[in-house]
Amino acid sequence: MLTLGNMFVLMLFATGAAWLWHSHGLRERALERVKQHCARLELELLDGNVALRRLTFARDAQGRKRLARVYNFEFTVTGEHRHPGTITMFGAHSAQIELAPYPAPFDDTPPVVEVTRPRAEVIELSQWRQEHTKWKP
């Protein structure tokens, strides 16, 4: 027979399962946002994964404190070094994506820069003093 205590435990497990299911969906949404961001910056997302770092209270764009999920991920520019990044999510909405400093990729051809040098003119000191004296006689 189903007692009130058994019903409470069953509801507790159902709530926990629903929270885990919802959290998994939010993690997948964070992963999609990170993939889009990395593609836009021409970076490679390593391991194709984001990992929950912490649940915290953070300020949103309006300055209110809200429950936020912070996920970690790693990316690379050249394929040699791993660089960390984080994404902060307020529910299903991403607040910010932070990337650690990374070296900018270089093209094979350096940019062409024209250097113009000023002409050198020789000025007599006595002539310059005559033109730039405050008190002319």
Side-chain angles (χ1 to χ4, degrees):
M1 184 159 196
L2 192 61
T3 64
L4 191 57
N6 291 342
M7 181 89 91
F8 177 73
V9 171
L10 184 63
M11 291 300 289
L12 191 63
F13 282 132
T15 303
W19 185 78
L20 287 174
W21 184 275
H22 180 69
S23 295
H24 179 72
L26 293 177
R27 190 190 73 77
E28 291 298 319
R29 190 167 284 184
L31 179 61
E32 278 303 312
R33 299 269 165 83
V34 169
K35 283 181 181 179
Q36 291 170 359
H37 190 73
C38 287
R40 187 172 38 252
L41 296 176
E42 296 179 1
L43 303 173
E44 182 182 349
L45 177 65
L46 295 174
D47 305 327
N49 193 11
V50 294
L52 182 65
R53 178 172 156 195
R54 68 177 181 227
L55 285 171
T56 186
F57 285 98
R59 296 198 182 272
D60 62 3
Q62 288 79 28
R64 297 176 303 192
K65 281 196 169 188
R66 295 178 53 192
L67 182 64
R69 288 176 170 86
V70 179
Y71 295 95
N72 283 346
F73 61 92
E74 291 183 331
F75 66 95
T76 185
V77 179
T78 60
E80 290 182 31
H81 302 287
R82 291 177 172 258
H83 303 284
T86 61
I87 180 171
T88 304
M89 300 282 292
F90 292 119
H93 305 287
S94 60
Q96 65 184 8
I97 298 176
E98 293 181 359
L99 303 175
Y102 60 90
F106 295 105
D107 293 336
D108 292 340
T109 58
V112 177
V113 178
E114 292 184 25
V115 177
T116 58
R117 296 187 178 141
R119 284 186 347 190
E121 295 182 22
V122 178
I123 299 175
E124 293 288 331
L125 183 59
S126 59
Q127 178 187 357
W128 184 87
R129 284 185 182 158
Q130 286 177 354
E131 292 174 359
H132 291 88
T133 55
K134 291 184 179 180
W135 307 101
K136 292 186 179 180

